[in-house]
Amino acid sequence: MTAKLRIEDLTHTFKGTQDIDVLDGLSITIRDGEFVTLLGPSGSGKSTIFNLIGGLIEPDQGDIFIDGKRVNGTRGNISYLPQQDSLLPWRTIEDNLVLVQEINGSVDRKRARKWLKRAGLGGYEDSYPNTLSGGMRQRVAFIRSLLSPQQLMLLDEPFGALDELTRLDMQDWLLKMWETDRRSVLFITHSIEEAIYMSDRILILSDKPAKIIKEIQVPFERPRHHDITLEDTFTKLRREIYLLLREGDSQ
């Protein structure tokens, strides 16, 4: 598979009364159709990495390539799904879905309704966000991301605000939707179990200034079911990652 995202030797420091070194020579490659997760201590720079990829800030050193094109400091190259759904309360569900299409100048309401039906939300086109549950709103937000033309998706703890049962349900749902439209995904979570369950690869970050201390290839085949969380291989991998995170947090 070819590289969808390539980060080379990324270094970044936040300047202020006391400079904070956030990234230290970070390099990452994500291939077409791959689901990769970043795991690291709180404050280790995961969101900064997303901001750099999205062009909101520029790195002090290093380069970011998407589809082989250097994109340092440029926007509009990625699809982004944050922890909060960010749906506009005054727009209907369908109007929220086509918002990205409006920005890109090509609205396809038929496609939006098709994806809503596929997501189990058929009949909610004219509803407003405040009438939907948290899980339903996150489904809408994810479908909105799929309707954008960018083939690289950054998912920043999209299930963090959900209760545990809804979170497990959303994990299965998102993987099912992703299987039908395999875009390249870079995923942030603080849950070791979620990282193992969702990912093809997991990148373990040290505390800041962040660097990758280990890359883990997840051994489970797709499609996945939550029964794998009971397997010995899953338990051993979870323990290995836990110890790596403890090690990274102490560096």
Side-chain angles (χ1 to χ4, degrees):
M1 291 185 288
T2 58
K4 175 62 64 175
L5 170 69
R6 192 170 82 254
I7 295 174
E8 295 181 350
D9 201 26
L10 213 61
T11 298
H12 193 71
T13 298
F14 285 123
K15 306 292 185 181
T17 53
Q18 183 176 358
D19 291 352
I20 301 174
D21 297 326
V22 183
L23 304 177
D24 178 22
L26 186 80
S27 295
I28 296 173
T29 297
I30 299 178
R31 297 179 285 272
D32 281 334
E34 192 176 28
F35 199 118
V36 177
T37 293
L38 291 175
L39 264 182
S42 294
S44 59
K46 297 183 292 294
S47 294
T48 300
I49 295 169
F50 272 24
N51 288 335
L52 288 163
I53 297 171
L56 298 180
I57 55 178
E58 290 195 52
D60 297 328
Q61 296 179 25
D63 294 300
I64 304 167
F65 298 91
I66 296 177
D67 289 324
K69 178 184 176 183
R70 186 176 183 273
V71 296
N72 289 33
T74 65
R75 305 185 186 186
N77 301 296
I78 57 100
S79 174
Y80 176 65
L81 180 62
Q83 181 172 334
Q84 301 297 329
D85 56 69
S86 300
L87 300 180
L88 300 178
W90 59 87
R91 293 179 70 113
T92 65
I93 298 306
E94 183 176 312
D95 286 341
N96 266 285
L97 280 182
V98 300
L99 179 60
V100 175
Q101 294 180 330
E102 290 176 5
I103 294 171
N104 286 284
S106 178
V107 175
D108 187 347
R109 291 183 176 273
K110 183 177 180 180
R111 184 167 175 242
R113 288 191 292 270
K114 179 181 177 181
W115 270 105
L116 270 179
K117 185 175 181 180
R118 187 178 296 176
L121 294 172
Y124 287 93
E125 295 86 353
D126 297 324
S127 300
Y128 287 87
N130 67 343
T131 66
L132 274 61
S133 68
M136 293 168 75
R137 291 196 299 271
Q138 278 301 85
R139 291 188 185 196
V140 175
F142 183 71
I143 294 302
R144 182 174 61 187
S145 298
L146 287 177
L147 288 171
S148 69
Q150 294 83 3
Q151 293 298 304
L152 174 62
M153 302 184 72
L154 307 186
L155 309 184
D156 190 355
E157 291 196 85
F159 311 139
L162 303 177
D163 65 79
E164 185 63 19
L165 288 178
T166 304
R167 184 182 185 122
L168 294 175
D169 180 62
M170 283 296 298
Q171 290 171 1
D172 286 336
W173 178 85
L174 188 147
L175 285 180
K176 181 180 178 182
M177 292 296 101
W178 174 74
E179 289 279 0
T180 67
D181 189 328
R182 276 213 179 193
R183 303 194 184 189
S184 303
V185 172
L186 186 58
F187 183 72
I188 289 177
T189 179
H190 282 98
S191 167
I192 297 173
E193 292 83 359
E194 184 168 84
I196 298 171
Y197 186 66
M198 304 286 286
S199 312
D200 297 311
R201 283 188 297 130
I202 300 171
L203 305 179
I204 309 295
L205 295 175
S206 69
D207 199 358
K208 60 179 177 292
K211 57 183 178 295
I212 295 173
I213 57 177
K214 180 118 185 212
E215 175 183 309
I216 294 175
Q217 190 77 37
V218 178
F220 302 105
E221 295 182 354
R222 297 188 187 275
R224 293 177 184 165
H225 189 275
H226 275 100
D227 286 348
I228 66 172
T229 62
L230 304 176
E231 295 183 14
D232 288 342
T233 302
F234 192 99
T235 302
K236 291 177 181 177
L237 187 55
R238 180 174 56 195
R239 175 176 172 77
E240 176 187 353
I241 293 173
Y242 170 75
L243 293 175
L244 284 167
L245 289 170
R246 286 284 301 272
E247 174 189 329
D249 200 20
S250 64
Q251 290 185 1

